[in-house]
Each structure stands twice: as C-alpha cells, then as structure tokens.
Amino acid sequence: MTNNTPVTLKFLADKLKMSVSTVSKALNNYPTINAYTRQRVQEMARDFHFTPNKSAINLKEKRSRIIGVILPNLLDHFFTRSIYGIEQFATQNGYNVIISQSHDELEKEIQSANMLLRSRVDGLIVAISKHTQDFTHLNQFENIGIPVVYYTRNPSFNLNCHKVLCNTFQGCYQATKLLIDRGHQKIAYLGGPKMINFTHDRFNGYINALKDNEVPFSSELVAYTDFDKENTITAIKNLFVYPENKPTALVAFKEPILFDAIKYLRSTKHFKTNEVECIGFGNTSFISYLDSPPIASIEENPESVGENAISLLIQLINKEIDIHNYQKVMVDCKLIVHGLNAGSV
Amino acid sequence: MTNNTPVTLKFLADKLKMSVSTVSKALNNYPTINAYTRQRVQEMARDFHFTPNKSAINLKEKRSRIIGVILPNLLDHFFTRSIYGIEQFATQNGYNVIISQSHDELEKEIQSANMLLRSRVDGLIVAISKHTQDFTHLNQFENIGIPVVYYTRNPSFNLNCHKVLCNTFQGCYQATKLLIDRGHQKIAYLGGPKMINFTHDRFNGYINALKDNEVPFSSELVAYTDFDKENTITAIKNLFVYPENKPTALVAFKEPILFDAIKYLRSTKHFKTNEVECIGFGNTSFISYLDSPPIASIEENPESVGENAISLLIQLINKEIDIHNYQKVMVDCKLIVHGLNAGSV
DNA sequence: GCAATTATTTCAAACGTTTGAAATGTATTT
DNA sequence: AAATACATTTCAAACGTTTGAAATAATTGC
C-alpha cells in the first residue's frame, strides 16, 4: 500500500492542471482564489492525504515552531508535571516541544543545548543542572535572537535573564507558620543541596516565619543534605543529638528527603509516640500510602510554573516583550494539609 | 549583542571570497577540498558560530531526523523510564525525539498523531491509549512509508505491526512461582483493566505457574480492577470473603494497585499478622518507604523496552528491515526480591 | 464594442543546504 | 611545448513551500 510519489503541492497542481501557487493559496484560503477552485483543491488535498512539508515551511518562514526544553530528568515529578503545562500550552499555540534531559550533568546539558541550537528551536526553556556555573552554551541562543526562559532552577548571580520561579520562600514560610500555629517551638529545618539556588530562599522562608512569630532560632535545628539516603540519615541524626533542642516538628526540602527522614524517625519511634510533625515540598500520591504521612505538603504547582514559562517564552518569540526586557515571574506555592485530625500513628 | 545577519553558508562564502559549495564541502570534509581551504573555512565557521540550518538539510535530504513518541502520560514511571532508553539511543544515532502525551484519550492521540505527521517524523513509537480500537490515524504513517513501532500496549487483534512488548507472562509466572515456592497455596490475583492487552498475558502467567506446580486454581481468588482506588478496594474485599479460600499471598497488576491493596490489607490487620505476602509489577523507589513492603517487585525493564523499540525503529528507517516484515520483540521481566528475611511488620 | 475595472491565476524568486557535472588551475609526462 | 593527468573549485539544479508582482481572464460601465 506504500505510495512512493510524495504528495506535494506540485503533485496536486499537476493532477488539477493548475499552478503550484494556486494550490498553495487555495489551501491557505487566500481570498483572491475562486471559491470553486479552492473547493476542488481542498478536496484533492484531502483525497490524497496531503500534509504540508514542515521543513520547507520552516525554511521559508525562518522558524521551526519547535520549542526546546532542557531539564535535569523526567523521574522527578516536579519536572514531569511541569511538562504537562508546557506541552498543553505549546500545542494550543501551534508549537511542538522537544524535551532533553541533562541528568544534572553539565556535559550532557551542553550537548542538549547544541542539539537544540542545530534544530533551530524558536525558543528554549531550561532548568539548569546543579553544576551549571558557566552559561556560554545557553547564551548562544540569545546571541542569535532566540529567547531563553530559565525556570525553577537559576543561580542568583545570573541576573540578565528571563525567569519563572516557584515562590519557595512563601511556601516554606507558610509551612513553618503552620507548625508554629500548631504549637511547635522546636522546628527543625532539613535543607537540600547548597548549589541549588532556592535552597537559600527556603531557608529564608523558615527563618522569617520564626522571626515574625517570635520563635527563637537555633542553628542546632538546621541541617543540610543532598539526595543521597546516607547523607540524609546523618543529617537528621545530627538534628536530634541536642537534648535541650529536641525538634518536635520538621520542614524538609523535598519529598524523597522527607520520606527518608520519616522512615528514620519511625525507626527511632519518634513518630509512633507522635513526637515529630513533618512537612515537605512536593505532593505526590505516594503520601497516602505512608503509615506516618506528613501533616502537610507544600504543593509547588509545577503545571502552573511550566505554563508561565512557556507563556512568557511565546510572548518573547512574538516580540510582544522585548528580549532584553528581562522578566521575573513568581508562582506561589500552596499548602496542602493532609487529614490533620488523624494525627500520627 | 544580537546579530541580525544569519550566519549561513553564503555568509561564510562571501567573507572567504569563495563559492557556497566549497564552503559546504569543506565543512563536510570532502576529500576534493584543499586542506588549507578546509582549515580556513572551518576556522571561519567556528569564529562566527555557524550552525547548519536543519530545516534546509531536512528538506534536501527528505527526512527530519525526528522520531515521534506517543504515550499515555509521563506520570507513570514505566513510560518515563522507557523515554530514558529511547532518548539515549536516539541521540546516539543523531535523532531528536518529540514526545506527545495522549492522556489515555483517543481524541488526544489522534491530534498527536496528526501533529507528528505534519512534522514529518522519520518514525513513530507509540503506546496506544486504552481506548484505541481504530488505527486509521496511526496507519497513515505506514501508508506513506513512515515506520511505526508499537510498544508495551497493543491489542492482540492488531496483527500486522511491529511490536516491542514486556514479557509480562513470564514476569507474572515467576512471581507466582516464587510465592508457590514459599509455600503458598492460596494465591490471589488482582488484575488490571481488561482493555489493556497484557492483562490477559499476566493472568495466563499466573494460571500456568499454578498448573505447572499443581496448585489448584479457584476463580474466587481472581479479581479485576482499574486504577480507581475505590474499585481496587472493592475488588480486594471480594477476594477475602470466601472463608475456605482465604488468600495468603497476592499478585497485583501494577504498583498503585498494589499499594492500594497493601494499604487495605494493613487496615484489616492481615499484614501485621504476616498473613499475606504481596508481589506486584513495577519497581519504584517508594517501596522502601512502605512499612509493609511487597516481598518482591516485577521489574519490567522499561529502559530496555524503550531501547528495543527505537533500535528496531531505526533499523526500519534505514531499511535494514523491510517495513512489511513485521517484527515482534519480547523483553523479559526480572523478579526483584526485597529483603525476604525481614518479613512483614 | 472598447476601455476600464475587477477577479483570478501564474510567474519567479527566495529560504539554506547538498551534490554530480562542468570548469578551471596546476603538475607530470613525453 | 603540447598532451595528459590530477587537484581543486564552481555551477546549477533540486528539495517543497510562500508571496508580491505580473499576467491573464472575466466583468462592468458608458
């Protein structure tokens, strides 16, 4: 059944005994084309399943209608959910999306960037790897007029760029506030890798909530970890070694870390005696399967972050916003309280 | 800093006072080009950050070096992990990947297919939605010579197609076998949606393991559910209503269903008295956070499934395999046993 | 019925690249 | 010094589409 003569405008034109331009204009509903002609062309196009060749159009129009996305990986639900927002908005606006994972490695990020540059994407959305300090591979895009929107991850020293960020300060503030309101005075903070920009924003949210509510701060209540299980256990052990500063609540950087913390606390019976109430960033459905779930989750609204990023990008592509008029969009977090009445097991 | 004259072959040719073809051939290392000329051209190209225009190349070469992927969604770890395999292999072979989610809706799947057809992908990898009965939107690809590989999901009546599938029969067989070897005689089977093809393969794996080991089968030990929590609870309740057929072990269709089952069993204290040992398809890291983890997971090797799918697709694109010589690849599952000695809590 | 107007179609160039054939330049042979 | 061989460069067409300008056809006014 394979048809080897490709159905092009020329093919249709020959069949209809008219010129290529008439066929093109008929298909694009030019008003100068006779209604009957237009109808004949469109019928023929339908019958032969004519599909315009995008490469040719792109070459002519000097754009690809492709948007590139570079992100650390797709196993993290934050990014996967953000893709949902990006893809949906892109499709609605006639853009395709090419997703490339950096696996949090600079080398792979550079490769992805170059690949997307060769593909002549119309714009780029990027959540940088945790090792990205140098931005030349990303700056090349702006140098030739292709807009770039940084989302979620972005080092504070990278000033001149468009960014869409979670208001992680506000999220952490609210979480801390909830714990204070529930009577806690010894609230531990378990932070994430220090290379990730918003680690500090979250810490500031925590600190400010304490200050605003006159809860004394102690550095004994603060520890940092990365996504390594061992390090998290070590960090949380350190939080519980000070007898006069024994935490009764915990704010954790992100879900896997939160889960590791909860698991550890359960093993030491802290949870079973209802001693520690936890909150963390992230809001996956797995929470409902935990025997000692966190009392609340900080929902970062990834879909909304993604949608804001691509919405801004498309405005930049359409030159509705000047590429050098750098924008900063903050997306608020939402505190999701899980069945408080149930309490810990 | 924005440069508005695009750096094309012509641009370089003018700068170097030579013809466009010399520049092109120099960059592509044609042996007929003088070494010194080649060097000058390549230097100039580097200095001006020349990037070949892919649309032009694609137009000339009548291909896009883009592979389309349609899958139900990215929130399912199986698919996300399969993307890893696909993307990696694609990149190594000079292909880009456009991913499109159908959200398990036929309408969205048709839209995605049409979008990818317009983009002139060189090949398509698809995990059909659970509502796909009619294949015209996918058959259009083969009709114009674009190969399609179906992976994971594929209804048995769709005979003439290339497919890469999990050997879900074997996976389920091994899981059932393990439970039998551990002394269980009343092994419940909690199946998934009947529209999904491999639901039946898994059931057959279960049945055959029972037969081969002379464990009597009872329909009272079999129930089906979909991904709805309520339905799963109802289904599992039904498995435990028969006093003389009370299950001591359970094989579950997929992880969220498994987790719902475990949660329910814990609420009825079955687990706490070590009465039911569970196994399920899927192998996420969340298992380690459960207080009563399954004794084993059936790892479906999604990366390998993805890699097999794209490897086959690229062979089809390169015409190393004839498009009508339909291939079927099976990828074995692997049983991952979780600390058996620990037992249930 | 002829010019003027309007409706419709076609021409031709352009987008950036590749590539076999043709042209030019240089070196070797006799 | 002419003939030959070889090295190197350039020409020109092609890929499929869009689009303003030009050409043609049909209609109107007088």
Side-chain angles (χ1 to χ4, degrees):
Chain A
M1 224 57 53
T2 305
N3 191 343
N4 32 19
T5 40
V7 181
T8 65
L9 290 184
K10 180 152 188 344
F11 174 92
L12 295 178
D14 290 349
K15 278 252 179 274
L16 290 157
K17 296 195 194 311
M18 43 177 90
S19 77
V20 170
S21 25
T22 308
V23 176
S24 171
K25 287 177 179 172
L27 290 173
N28 290 306
N29 293 310
Y30 268 55
T32 67
I33 299 296
N34 180 286
Y36 176 59
T37 310
R38 178 168 62 234
Q39 195 198 316
R40 281 176 59 219
V41 171
Q42 294 188 344
E43 265 171 19
M44 186 68 73
R46 205 174 309 118
D47 291 351
F48 282 91
H49 302 104
F50 170 75
T51 329
N53 184 314
K54 257 200 140 210
S55 295
I57 296 175
N58 294 343
L59 178 60
K60 192 83 226 301
E61 302 199 332
K62 292 161 169 283
R63 65 172 175 197
S64 62
R65 287 210 164 269
I66 292 177
I67 283 170
V69 178
I70 301 177
L71 39 72
N73 74 73
L74 288 171
L75 295 175
D76 184 327
H77 266 64
F78 179 91
F79 291 118
T80 315
R81 286 177 58 194
S82 74
I83 290 291
Y84 182 87
I86 292 174
E87 206 198 31
Q88 182 152 297
F89 198 93
T91 309
Q92 281 165 10
N93 288 270
Y95 285 90
N96 289 339
V97 176
I98 293 185
I99 301 160
S100 192
Q101 305 182 59
S102 69
H103 302 288
D104 253 330
E105 289 162 26
L106 178 60
E107 192 45 50
K108 186 75 182 56
E109 182 176 286
I110 294 174
Q111 273 176 30
S112 299
N114 290 336
M115 181 272 276
L116 293 170
L117 194 65
R118 276 196 299 279
S119 297
R120 284 283 195 285
V121 292
D122 290 346
L124 183 70
I125 295 177
V126 51
I128 56 172
S129 90
K130 62 184 174 203
H131 303 114
T132 308
Q133 301 275 339
D134 180 272
F135 285 78
T136 40
H137 59 296
L138 298 168
N139 288 338
Q140 349 173 39
F141 288 84
E142 275 212 359
N143 288 344
I144 57 170
I146 300 174
V148 178
V149 172
Y150 292 81
Y151 88 118
T152 317
R153 295 205 193 162
N154 173 63
S156 46
F157 59 81
N158 189 23
L159 288 173
N160 291 324
C161 67
H162 303 278
K163 33 190 143 181
V164 176
L165 306 172
C166 284
N167 196 342
T168 194
F169 172 92
Q170 165 260 347
C172 209
Y173 186 101
Q174 284 193 6
T176 311
K177 180 75 163 53
L178 175 69
L179 292 170
I180 296 169
D181 289 348
R182 286 176 61 78
H184 295 283
Q185 291 283 309
K186 304 287 183 193
I187 303 172
Y189 175 78
L190 183 54
K194 291 193 183 177
M195 316 97 128
I196 298 184
N197 55 315
F198 47 71
T199 299
H200 312 291
D201 297 332
R202 291 187 183 176
F203 180 68
N204 286 334
Y206 163 77
I207 287 288
N208 277 53
L210 294 183
K211 263 195 201 135
D212 292 355
N213 295 279
E214 289 158 6
V215 175
F217 165 76
S218 161
S219 63
E220 292 177 358
L221 290 169
V222 175
Y224 289 91
T225 180
D226 52 19
F227 292 99
D228 181 74
K229 218 175 268 257
E230 291 306 313
N231 293 344
T232 302
I233 304 290
T234 311
I236 196 158
K237 270 184 186 159
N238 285 339
L239 288 173
F240 281 83
V241 292
Y242 306 102
E244 60 263 48
N245 256 334
K246 208 158 156 266
T248 62
L250 173 75
V251 179
F253 184 74
K254 208 166 163 58
E255 243 178 45
I257 291 173
L258 170 69
F259 294 164
D260 284 326
I262 288 176
K263 191 180 176 187
Y264 173 77
L265 289 173
R266 272 183 75 78
S267 75
T268 62
K269 315 289 183 222
H270 281 294
F271 248 113
K272 295 195 178 160
T273 53
N274 215 352
E275 276 180 59
V276 185
E277 286 190 332
C278 295
I279 299 187
F281 279 85
N283 182 30
T284 61
S285 57
F286 283 95
I287 284 176
S288 67
Y289 300 119
L290 293 176
D291 281 277
S292 298
I295 63 160
S297 292
I298 307 167
E299 165 64 77
E300 300 171 276
N301 296 310
E303 291 88 353
S304 172
V305 175
E307 197 176 308
N308 273 280
I310 189 152
S311 158
L312 171 56
L313 187 68
I314 289 179
Q315 286 176 287
L316 290 164
I317 291 172
N318 294 339
K319 300 201 191 302
E320 290 160 29
I321 297 174
D322 185 81
I323 195 167
H324 294 120
N325 177 13
Y326 292 110
Q327 304 288 312
K328 181 175 177 179
V329 179
M330 291 295 253
V331 178
D332 274 353
C333 296
K334 196 182 165 196
L335 207 57
I336 310 282
V337 180
H338 304 296
L340 265 186
N341 31 358
S344 311
V345 175
Chain B
M1 227 59 51
T2 303
N3 191 342
N4 31 20
T5 40
V7 181
T8 64
L9 290 184
K10 179 153 189 346
F11 174 91
L12 296 178
D14 290 351
K15 278 253 179 271
L16 290 156
K17 297 198 193 310
M18 43 177 89
S19 76
V20 170
S21 26
T22 308
V23 176
S24 170
K25 288 175 180 173
L27 290 173
N28 290 305
N29 292 309
Y30 268 55
T32 68
I33 299 295
N34 181 285
Y36 177 57
T37 310
R38 179 170 60 234
Q39 193 199 319
R40 281 177 59 218
V41 171
Q42 294 187 346
E43 263 170 24
M44 186 70 72
R46 203 174 312 120
D47 291 352
F48 282 91
H49 303 105
F50 170 75
T51 329
N53 184 313
K54 257 200 141 211
S55 295
I57 296 175
N58 294 342
L59 178 59
K60 191 81 228 299
E61 303 199 331
K62 294 162 166 283
R63 66 172 173 198
S64 62
R65 286 211 164 268
I66 292 177
I67 282 169
V69 177
I70 302 178
L71 39 73
N73 74 74
L74 288 171
L75 295 175
D76 184 327
H77 265 65
F78 178 90
F79 291 117
T80 316
R81 286 177 57 194
S82 74
I83 290 292
Y84 181 87
I86 293 174
E87 205 199 31
Q88 182 152 295
F89 198 92
T91 309
Q92 280 166 9
N93 287 270
Y95 286 90
N96 289 338
V97 176
I98 293 186
I99 301 161
S100 192
Q101 305 182 59
S102 69
H103 302 289
D104 254 329
E105 289 163 26
L106 178 60
E107 192 46 50
K108 187 76 183 52
E109 182 176 286
I110 293 174
Q111 274 176 30
S112 299
N114 290 335
M115 179 273 274
L116 293 171
L117 194 64
R118 276 196 299 281
S119 297
R120 283 285 194 285
V121 292
D122 290 346
L124 184 69
I125 295 178
V126 51
I128 56 172
S129 90
K130 62 183 174 201
H131 303 114
T132 307
Q133 301 274 338
D134 180 273
F135 286 78
T136 42
H137 59 296
L138 297 168
N139 288 338
Q140 345 174 44
F141 287 84
E142 275 213 359
N143 288 343
I144 57 170
I146 300 174
V148 178
V149 171
Y150 292 82
Y151 87 118
T152 315
R153 294 205 193 164
N154 173 63
S156 46
F157 60 80
N158 190 23
L159 289 173
N160 291 325
C161 66
H162 302 277
K163 34 190 142 181
V164 176
L165 305 173
C166 284
N167 196 343
T168 193
F169 171 92
Q170 165 259 348
C172 209
Y173 185 101
Q174 284 192 5
T176 311
K177 180 72 164 49
L178 175 70
L179 292 170
I180 294 169
D181 289 348
R182 285 177 62 78
H184 295 282
Q185 290 282 310
K186 304 286 181 190
I187 304 172
Y189 176 78
L190 184 53
K194 293 195 184 176
M195 313 98 128
I196 297 184
N197 55 314
F198 48 71
T199 301
H200 312 291
D201 296 332
R202 291 186 184 176
F203 180 67
N204 287 334
Y206 164 75
I207 286 288
N208 276 54
L210 293 185
K211 264 194 200 137
D212 291 355
N213 295 277
E214 287 159 7
V215 175
F217 165 75
S218 161
S219 63
E220 291 177 359
L221 290 169
V222 175
Y224 288 92
T225 180
D226 52 19
F227 292 100
D228 182 75
K229 217 175 269 259
E230 291 306 312
N231 294 344
T232 301
I233 304 290
T234 312
I236 196 158
K237 271 184 185 158
N238 286 338
L239 289 173
F240 283 81
V241 291
Y242 306 103
E244 61 263 48
N245 258 332
K246 206 157 158 266
T248 61
L250 174 75
V251 180
F253 184 74
K254 209 169 162 54
E255 242 179 46
I257 291 173
L258 170 70
F259 293 165
D260 284 326
I262 288 176
K263 192 179 177 187
Y264 172 77
L265 289 174
R266 273 183 74 78
S267 76
T268 61
K269 316 288 183 222
H270 281 294
F271 248 112
K272 294 192 182 164
T273 54
N274 215 351
E275 275 180 61
V276 184
E277 287 191 331
C278 295
I279 298 188
F281 279 85
N283 182 32
T284 62
S285 57
F286 284 96
I287 284 176
S288 66
Y289 301 119
L290 292 177
D291 280 283
S292 297
I295 62 159
S297 292
I298 307 167
E299 166 64 77
E300 300 172 276
N301 296 310
E303 292 87 354
S304 172
V305 176
E307 197 176 308
N308 274 279
I310 189 152
S311 160
L312 171 56
L313 187 67
I314 290 180
Q315 285 177 286
L316 290 163
I317 292 172
N318 294 340
K319 302 202 191 299
E320 290 160 29
I321 298 175
D322 185 82
I323 195 167
H324 294 120
N325 177 13
Y326 293 110
Q327 305 287 313
K328 181 174 177 179
V329 179
M330 292 296 254
V331 177
D332 273 353
C333 296
K334 195 181 166 195
L335 207 58
I336 310 281
V337 180
H338 303 296
L340 264 186
N341 33 356
S344 309
V345 175

